[in-house]
Amino acid sequence: MPRFAANLSMLFTELDFLDRFAAAAEAGFSGVEYLFPYDYPAEEIKARLDAHNLTQVLFNLPAGDWANGDRGIACDPERVEEFRAGVDKAIAYAKVLGNSQINCLAGIAPKGADLGKLDMTFIENLRYAAKKLEAEGIRLVMEMINTRDIPRFFLNNTSQALEIRDKVGSTNLFLQYDIYHMQIMEGDLARTLENNLAVINHVQLADNPGRNEPGTGEINYRFLFEHLDRIGYQGWVGCEYKPATTTAAGLGWLKSHNAI
C-alpha cells in the first residue's frame, strides 16, 4: 500500500491546528501535509513533528490572501515580486521543518486577462522557484485543480501541466496529481498516473462527488492503490478530503486497505 499523509487543513479540524499533529499520529499516520504553515513559527511546528515522530511531507508556497479568495499568485503578472518573496519564505520554513518538496498553486486567471501573458508569467515564476528550491535540495511540484470547484483556475489538467513543464525546462519541477481534481477534469486516472509516473512526485486523494473519504463515491480506490504499487510509485499520498462526519469515524477505509 502507498504511504499516506494526513492533510491537517482538512482532517481533524475539530481540533486547533497544532493539536492535529498528535491526532494524526494517534490515528496511525506517519506523515502530514497542509496548505500553509505561515501562521505559526516554524520551530513550534517542528516541535510537534518531532514529538509525534511525523514526517513533514508537503505544504504550499504562499498563495496570496486565501481568506479573500486568492488561490495562488504564480500566474499573476502584477504579483511577481510577491511571489518571489514567498519562495524565500517557504524555503526558510522547509529548512526548519525538514520537508523536501513544496507545491506551487498557479492561481485564478483574472477575467479578461491575456492568457498568453499569464502563461508566460507562470512559466517564469516556476523557473525561478525551481532553481531557488533546487539550490536548497527541495523539489517543486505544481498542482492541477478542477475548474468546477475553483472557476478559472489557471492550471487545470495534466496535458497543460506537461506542456508548461517542458517550457520551464527544469528537472526540479514535478507534478502533484490530485485524483479528485483530475477525476473531474479528465478521468483515465490509472493510465495517466502510469504514463507520467516519472514526473509525478506527489499524489492526493478524495472521492467524487463530495470530496469525502475513499469509498463514498465513484472512484475505485482499492484498484488505484494496488495500481500505484504495481507501477512503482514511491511518493506519499496526501489525504486531502472532507470527512463525511468526523475524521475518526471516516478512517475505516484506511484500516480496510491495511494502510495503517
Side-chain angles (χ1 to χ4, degrees):
M1 282 293 114
R3 296 179 296 165
F4 294 94
N7 187 297
L8 300 185
S9 296
M10 299 188 75
L11 303 185
F12 308 106
T13 56
E14 67 276 10
L15 302 172
D16 290 336
F17 177 72
L18 291 175
D19 293 331
R20 297 173 197 173
F21 293 82
E26 185 176 350
F29 289 100
S30 57
V32 294
E33 62 177 36
Y34 37 76
L35 290 175
F36 311 107
Y38 310 114
D39 287 340
Y40 302 88
E43 293 76 12
E44 192 168 354
I45 298 174
K46 177 66 167 146
R48 301 298 175 114
L49 292 167
D50 291 346
H52 302 292
N53 196 30
L54 291 167
T55 298
Q56 176 65 55
V57 174
L58 180 84
F59 58 78
N60 296 322
L61 291 172
D65 189 346
W66 195 266
N68 285 317
D70 282 342
R71 291 298 180 266
I73 59 174
C75 72
D76 192 335
E78 305 301 320
R79 303 176 76 172
V80 171
E81 291 306 313
E82 181 183 352
F83 176 85
R84 292 187 174 195
V87 172
D88 290 337
K89 187 174 187 178
I91 288 171
Y93 268 81
K95 289 173 73 172
V96 174
L97 300 179
N99 59 301
S100 59
Q101 61 184 356
I102 295 174
N103 182 42
C104 177
L105 295 172
I108 298 169
K111 290 182 178 178
D114 180 335
L115 295 182
K117 190 172 184 180
L118 298 184
D119 193 62
M120 182 175 64
T121 300
F122 188 39
I123 289 166
E124 289 299 325
N125 277 334
L126 287 169
R127 188 175 290 140
Y128 175 87
K131 183 177 180 179
K132 291 275 288 189
L133 291 172
E134 186 173 26
E136 303 293 342
I138 303 167
R139 294 181 294 273
L140 178 65
V141 295
M142 56 178 170
E143 181 178 10
M144 305 81 72
I145 293 180
N146 82 78
T147 53
R148 186 174 67 197
D149 289 357
I150 306 180
R152 305 192 318 279
F153 193 83
F154 187 70
L155 182 64
N156 52 63
N157 64 77
T158 301
S159 61
Q160 180 195 11
L162 293 172
E163 182 179 345
I164 286 173
R165 184 177 185 270
D166 285 344
K167 291 178 180 177
V168 171
S170 172
T171 58
N172 194 45
L173 176 61
F174 300 87
L175 275 58
Q176 176 172 305
Y177 192 87
D178 188 306
I179 292 168
Y180 164 76
H181 289 303
M182 292 302 95
Q183 170 70 357
I184 293 169
M185 294 302 295
E186 61 191 24
D188 205 17
L189 302 169
R191 189 189 308 272
T192 303
L193 284 162
E194 183 170 6
N195 288 348
N196 299 289
L197 183 65
V199 296
I200 293 173
N201 217 62
H202 191 63
V203 172
Q204 291 180 324
L205 62 77
D207 218 327
N208 181 58
R211 203 176 184 178
N212 303 131
E213 51 264 67
T216 59
E218 67 184 355
I219 301 174
N220 185 349
Y221 270 106
R222 180 173 293 280
F223 170 81
L224 283 179
F225 294 154
E226 293 173 353
H227 181 70
L228 287 171
D229 284 343
R230 185 164 53 249
I231 66 177
Y233 176 68
Q234 298 296 311
W236 290 84
V237 175
C239 301
E240 192 184 51
Y241 63 82
K242 299 181 292 185
T245 55
T246 66
T247 302
L251 287 176
W253 70 271
L254 272 173
K255 298 182 178 69
S256 71
H257 291 296
N258 297 316
I260 61 173

